Amino acid sequence: MAPSAASSNNKEGESGEEGYTALEKHVAFFDRNGDGVIYPWETYHGFRALGLGRLPSAIAGLFINMGLSKKTRPGKGFSLLFPIEVKNSRFCIHGSVTEAYDKNGRFVESKFEEIFKKHARSHRNALTYKELLQLLKSNRDPGDFGGWIAAYGEWKLLYELCKDEDGLLTREAVKGAFDGSIFRKLEKERLSSSHKKKEKRRR
């Protein structure tokens, strides 16, 4: 089912997500104005909202949009603005993954559970960095070098953004990444922290 049209009065970073698949919700976090299309500067601002530095966010915004734009715009011509269409994000699913998304971008609970059954050895509901690397290695499809790189980049970034104070990537964080809810949570926490700091300075 295609995403419903986003309302023109949506708040920044909040899309009209009724009817979205888990993958579309994940991607829609970066649709900062909620119009169903993501441009490089929106990807940049999305990563900045998560706490990533200016340079890494700029690099991510450029390369992610350059790499995914064409895939999400079948039948359309090349655009120098490198837009990504949220409703077609399923076309960006690459190899060497956990298969916790099906071919249409819907969340597959059983595949998600396999992540922790197979790889969470030290802690039942969390992954260490070493276990994360083992997860990536076990999911590699032979000869799929592009998939290996993409999967590593995605999980490495998730680990850096979401690891707890003990260096663990929790089940809650991983599940939240699949539907983008962890991104919204991180943004709210960061905004709240920033607001508290400003309040202290005023006193």
Side-chain angles (χ1 to χ4, degrees):
M1 185 176 186
S4 57
S7 171
S8 61
N9 61 356
N10 281 334
K11 294 179 180 179
E12 187 174 1
E14 296 181 0
S15 300
E17 293 182 357
E18 184 180 354
Y20 273 40
T21 64
L23 178 58
E24 288 164 353
K25 290 178 182 178
H26 169 99
V27 173
F29 172 78
F30 297 93
D31 180 13
R32 307 306 288 174
N33 64 1
D35 66 353
V37 182
I38 305 168
Y39 293 98
W41 52 90
E42 291 183 283
T43 305
Y44 167 84
H45 286 297
F47 280 115
R48 289 292 293 144
L50 295 175
L52 202 62
R54 288 186 175 86
L55 181 58
S57 295
I59 293 172
L62 179 62
F63 283 97
I64 288 175
N65 281 70
M66 285 179 65
L68 302 184
S69 178
K70 184 178 180 180
K71 294 179 181 180
T72 68
R73 304 175 70 246
K76 295 183 179 179
F78 172 77
S79 172
L80 278 173
L81 297 179
F82 298 108
I84 292 173
E85 296 188 6
V86 175
K87 67 180 181 180
N88 292 325
S89 54
R90 66 189 182 280
F91 297 135
C92 298
I93 297 175
H94 54 78
S96 302
V97 292
T98 62
E99 298 182 351
Y101 290 127
D102 68 12
K103 65 179 181 180
N104 293 311
R106 293 173 299 211
F107 182 68
V108 182
E109 185 75 34
S110 61
K111 292 294 184 180
F112 170 76
E113 292 298 331
E114 282 183 15
I115 294 173
F116 294 88
K117 286 180 181 178
K118 291 182 178 180
H119 303 286
R121 302 300 183 187
S122 304
H123 305 270
R124 183 179 178 183
N125 293 310
L127 298 170
T128 64
Y129 185 65
K130 185 176 180 180
E131 290 166 346
L132 176 57
L133 293 178
Q134 184 57 44
L135 164 68
L136 291 169
K137 185 177 180 180
S138 69
N139 286 332
R140 288 177 181 173
D141 296 327
D144 179 31
F145 301 113
W148 298 1
I149 294 170
Y152 176 78
E154 292 162 359
W155 282 93
K156 173 68 172 177
L157 184 57
L158 177 63
Y159 178 80
E160 293 301 328
L161 290 173
C162 300
K163 65 183 177 182
D164 65 16
E165 57 187 13
D166 297 316
L168 299 174
L169 187 60
T170 66
R171 176 190 293 266
E172 179 185 11
V174 175
K175 191 166 188 176
F178 279 106
D179 67 3
S181 59
I182 190 65
F183 301 152
R184 292 162 183 80
K185 180 181 178 182
L186 287 173
E187 181 177 20
K188 288 179 181 178
E189 289 176 351
R190 193 161 176 270
L191 288 172
S192 177
S193 177
S194 177
H195 179 71
K196 288 177 181 178
K197 287 179 181 179
K198 288 179 181 179
E199 287 296 318
K200 286 183 179 180
R201 290 171 188 165
R202 291 173 183 172
R203 293 174 185 174

PDB file of all heavy atoms in Angstrom, residues 4-22:
ATOM      1  N   SER A   4       0.110   7.498   2.271  1.00  0.00           N
ATOM      2  CA  SER A   4      -0.877   8.543   2.031  1.00  0.00           C
ATOM      3  C   SER A   4      -0.177   9.873   1.866  1.00  0.00           C
ATOM      4  O   SER A   4       0.935  10.057   2.316  1.00  0.00           O
ATOM      5  CB  SER A   4      -1.843   8.630   3.227  1.00  0.00           C
ATOM      6  OG  SER A   4      -1.135   8.858   4.417  1.00  0.00           O
ATOM      7  N   ALA A   5      -0.820  10.807   1.213  1.00  0.00           N
ATOM      8  CA  ALA A   5      -0.204  12.113   1.000  1.00  0.00           C
ATOM      9  C   ALA A   5      -0.018  12.823   2.327  1.00  0.00           C
ATOM     10  O   ALA A   5      -0.882  12.830   3.179  1.00  0.00           O
ATOM     11  CB  ALA A   5      -1.094  12.956   0.085  1.00  0.00           C
ATOM     12  N   ALA A   6       1.150  13.441   2.490  1.00  0.00           N
ATOM     13  CA  ALA A   6       1.436  14.148   3.734  1.00  0.00           C
ATOM     14  C   ALA A   6       0.712  15.474   3.760  1.00  0.00           C
ATOM     15  O   ALA A   6       0.587  16.166   2.760  1.00  0.00           O
ATOM     16  CB  ALA A   6       2.947  14.382   3.850  1.00  0.00           C
ATOM     17  N   SER A   7       0.247  15.826   4.932  1.00  0.00           N
ATOM     18  CA  SER A   7      -0.452  17.098   5.104  1.00  0.00           C
ATOM     19  C   SER A   7       0.528  18.245   5.001  1.00  0.00           C
ATOM     20  O   SER A   7       1.665  18.158   5.435  1.00  0.00           O
ATOM     21  CB  SER A   7      -1.131  17.112   6.483  1.00  0.00           C
ATOM     22  OG  SER A   7      -1.630  18.401   6.765  1.00  0.00           O
ATOM     23  N   SER A   8       0.100  19.344   4.423  1.00  0.00           N
ATOM     24  CA  SER A   8       0.986  20.492   4.225  1.00  0.00           C
ATOM     25  C   SER A   8       1.347  21.177   5.520  1.00  0.00           C
ATOM     26  O   SER A   8       2.298  21.937   5.577  1.00  0.00           O
ATOM     27  CB  SER A   8       0.315  21.502   3.287  1.00  0.00           C
ATOM     28  OG  SER A   8      -0.902  21.965   3.856  1.00  0.00           O
ATOM     29  N   ASN A   9       0.612  20.909   6.616  1.00  0.00           N
ATOM     30  CA  ASN A   9       0.930  21.566   7.875  1.00  0.00           C
ATOM     31  C   ASN A   9       1.622  20.635   8.856  1.00  0.00           C
ATOM     32  O   ASN A   9       1.628  20.863  10.050  1.00  0.00           O
ATOM     33  CB  ASN A   9      -0.346  22.148   8.528  1.00  0.00           C
ATOM     34  CG  ASN A   9      -1.370  21.057   8.848  1.00  0.00           C
ATOM     35  OD1 ASN A   9      -1.159  19.898   8.513  1.00  0.00           O
ATOM     36  ND2 ASN A   9      -2.457  21.450   9.487  1.00  0.00           N
ATOM     37  N   ASN A  10       2.256  19.552   8.342  1.00  0.00           N
ATOM     38  CA  ASN A  10       3.012  18.656   9.203  1.00  0.00           C
ATOM     39  C   ASN A  10       4.173  19.391   9.827  1.00  0.00           C
ATOM     40  O   ASN A  10       4.783  20.264   9.213  1.00  0.00           O
ATOM     41  CB  ASN A  10       3.567  17.460   8.407  1.00  0.00           C
ATOM     42  CG  ASN A  10       2.495  16.419   8.159  1.00  0.00           C
ATOM     43  OD1 ASN A  10       1.542  16.322   8.915  1.00  0.00           O
ATOM     44  ND2 ASN A  10       2.665  15.666   7.089  1.00  0.00           N
ATOM     45  N   LYS A  11       4.546  18.979  11.044  1.00  0.00           N
ATOM     46  CA  LYS A  11       5.727  19.534  11.682  1.00  0.00           C
ATOM     47  C   LYS A  11       6.959  18.990  10.968  1.00  0.00           C
ATOM     48  O   LYS A  11       6.933  17.945  10.356  1.00  0.00           O
ATOM     49  CB  LYS A  11       5.774  19.139  13.159  1.00  0.00           C
ATOM     50  CG  LYS A  11       4.645  19.750  13.975  1.00  0.00           C
ATOM     51  CD  LYS A  11       4.749  19.298  15.412  1.00  0.00           C
ATOM     52  CE  LYS A  11       3.615  19.892  16.249  1.00  0.00           C
ATOM     53  NZ  LYS A  11       3.676  19.445  17.655  1.00  0.00           N
ATOM     54  N   GLU A  12       8.081  19.698  11.095  1.00  0.00           N
ATOM     55  CA  GLU A  12       9.308  19.274  10.452  1.00  0.00           C
ATOM     56  C   GLU A  12       9.695  17.886  10.933  1.00  0.00           C
ATOM     57  O   GLU A  12       9.726  17.602  12.118  1.00  0.00           O
ATOM     58  CB  GLU A  12      10.432  20.261  10.783  1.00  0.00           C
ATOM     59  CG  GLU A  12      11.711  19.977  10.018  1.00  0.00           C
ATOM     60  CD  GLU A  12      12.761  21.035  10.255  1.00  0.00           C
ATOM     61  OE1 GLU A  12      12.496  21.959  11.017  1.00  0.00           O
ATOM     62  OE2 GLU A  12      13.840  20.902   9.679  1.00  0.00           O
ATOM     63  N   GLY A  13      10.029  17.014   9.983  1.00  0.00           N
ATOM     64  CA  GLY A  13      10.462  15.677  10.333  1.00  0.00           C
ATOM     65  C   GLY A  13       9.329  14.715  10.603  1.00  0.00           C
ATOM     66  O   GLY A  13       9.548  13.571  10.951  1.00  0.00           O
ATOM     67  N   GLU A  14       8.064  15.137  10.460  1.00  0.00           N
ATOM     68  CA  GLU A  14       6.933  14.261  10.700  1.00  0.00           C
ATOM     69  C   GLU A  14       6.093  14.152   9.423  1.00  0.00           C
ATOM     70  O   GLU A  14       5.529  15.128   8.955  1.00  0.00           O
ATOM     71  CB  GLU A  14       6.064  14.800  11.841  1.00  0.00           C
ATOM     72  CG  GLU A  14       6.792  14.824  13.183  1.00  0.00           C
ATOM     73  CD  GLU A  14       5.912  15.346  14.297  1.00  0.00           C
ATOM     74  OE1 GLU A  14       4.750  15.688  14.028  1.00  0.00           O
ATOM     75  OE2 GLU A  14       6.392  15.420  15.432  1.00  0.00           O
ATOM     76  N   SER A  15       6.041  12.956   8.851  1.00  0.00           N
ATOM     77  CA  SER A  15       5.277  12.747   7.627  1.00  0.00           C
ATOM     78  C   SER A  15       3.932  12.128   7.952  1.00  0.00           C
ATOM     79  O   SER A  15       3.741  11.559   9.018  1.00  0.00           O
ATOM     80  CB  SER A  15       6.050  11.823   6.685  1.00  0.00           C
ATOM     81  OG  SER A  15       7.295  12.387   6.337  1.00  0.00           O
ATOM     82  N   GLY A  16       2.992  12.231   7.009  1.00  0.00           N
ATOM     83  CA  GLY A  16       1.732  11.537   7.182  1.00  0.00           C
ATOM     84  C   GLY A  16       1.970  10.053   6.939  1.00  0.00           C
ATOM     85  O   GLY A  16       2.017   9.615   5.803  1.00  0.00           O
ATOM     86  N   GLU A  17       2.130   9.257   7.998  1.00  0.00           N
ATOM     87  CA  GLU A  17       2.630   7.900   7.857  1.00  0.00           C
ATOM     88  C   GLU A  17       1.554   6.831   7.914  1.00  0.00           C
ATOM     89  O   GLU A  17       1.865   5.652   7.977  1.00  0.00           O
ATOM     90  CB  GLU A  17       3.687   7.632   8.930  1.00  0.00           C
ATOM     91  CG  GLU A  17       4.938   8.464   8.731  1.00  0.00           C
ATOM     92  CD  GLU A  17       5.996   8.172   9.769  1.00  0.00           C
ATOM     93  OE1 GLU A  17       5.734   7.360  10.674  1.00  0.00           O
ATOM     94  OE2 GLU A  17       7.065   8.777   9.685  1.00  0.00           O
ATOM     95  N   GLU A  18       0.313   7.204   7.900  1.00  0.00           N
ATOM     96  CA  GLU A  18      -0.744   6.205   7.901  1.00  0.00           C
ATOM     97  C   GLU A  18      -0.658   5.365   6.631  1.00  0.00           C
ATOM     98  O   GLU A  18      -0.645   5.882   5.524  1.00  0.00           O
ATOM     99  CB  GLU A  18      -2.115   6.877   7.991  1.00  0.00           C
ATOM    100  CG  GLU A  18      -3.264   5.887   8.096  1.00  0.00           C
ATOM    101  CD  GLU A  18      -4.611   6.574   8.196  1.00  0.00           C
ATOM    102  OE1 GLU A  18      -4.642   7.817   8.306  1.00  0.00           O
ATOM    103  OE2 GLU A  18      -5.622   5.871   8.156  1.00  0.00           O
ATOM    104  N   GLY A  19      -0.557   4.054   6.783  1.00  0.00           N
ATOM    105  CA  GLY A  19      -0.439   3.175   5.635  1.00  0.00           C
ATOM    106  C   GLY A  19       0.984   2.947   5.180  1.00  0.00           C
ATOM    107  O   GLY A  19       1.211   2.201   4.225  1.00  0.00           O
ATOM    108  N   TYR A  20       1.959   3.532   5.829  1.00  0.00           N
ATOM    109  CA  TYR A  20       3.358   3.329   5.474  1.00  0.00           C
ATOM    110  C   TYR A  20       3.823   1.948   5.935  1.00  0.00           C
ATOM    111  O   TYR A  20       3.394   1.446   6.971  1.00  0.00           O
ATOM    112  CB  TYR A  20       4.243   4.376   6.162  1.00  0.00           C
ATOM    113  CG  TYR A  20       4.423   5.672   5.423  1.00  0.00           C
ATOM    114  CD1 TYR A  20       3.373   6.267   4.747  1.00  0.00           C
ATOM    115  CD2 TYR A  20       5.647   6.318   5.424  1.00  0.00           C
ATOM    116  CE1 TYR A  20       3.540   7.462   4.090  1.00  0.00           C
ATOM    117  CE2 TYR A  20       5.833   7.523   4.772  1.00  0.00           C
ATOM    118  CZ  TYR A  20       4.775   8.094   4.108  1.00  0.00           C
ATOM    119  OH  TYR A  20       4.952   9.281   3.463  1.00  0.00           O
ATOM    120  N   THR A  21       4.719   1.342   5.193  1.00  0.00           N
ATOM    121  CA  THR A  21       5.391   0.133   5.656  1.00  0.00           C
ATOM    122  C   THR A  21       6.473   0.544   6.652  1.00  0.00           C
ATOM    123  O   THR A  21       6.800   1.732   6.787  1.00  0.00           O
ATOM    124  CB  THR A  21       6.062  -0.611   4.490  1.00  0.00           C
ATOM    125  OG1 THR A  21       7.106   0.218   3.935  1.00  0.00           O
ATOM    126  CG2 THR A  21       5.061  -0.960   3.407  1.00  0.00           C
ATOM    127  N   ALA A  22       7.062  -0.442   7.331  1.00  0.00           N
ATOM    128  CA  ALA A  22       8.126  -0.146   8.288  1.00  0.00           C
ATOM    129  C   ALA A  22       9.296   0.559   7.605  1.00  0.00           C
ATOM    130  O   ALA A  22       9.850   1.529   8.136  1.00  0.00           O
ATOM    131  CB  ALA A  22       8.604  -1.432   8.956  1.00  0.00           C
TER     132      ALA A  22
END
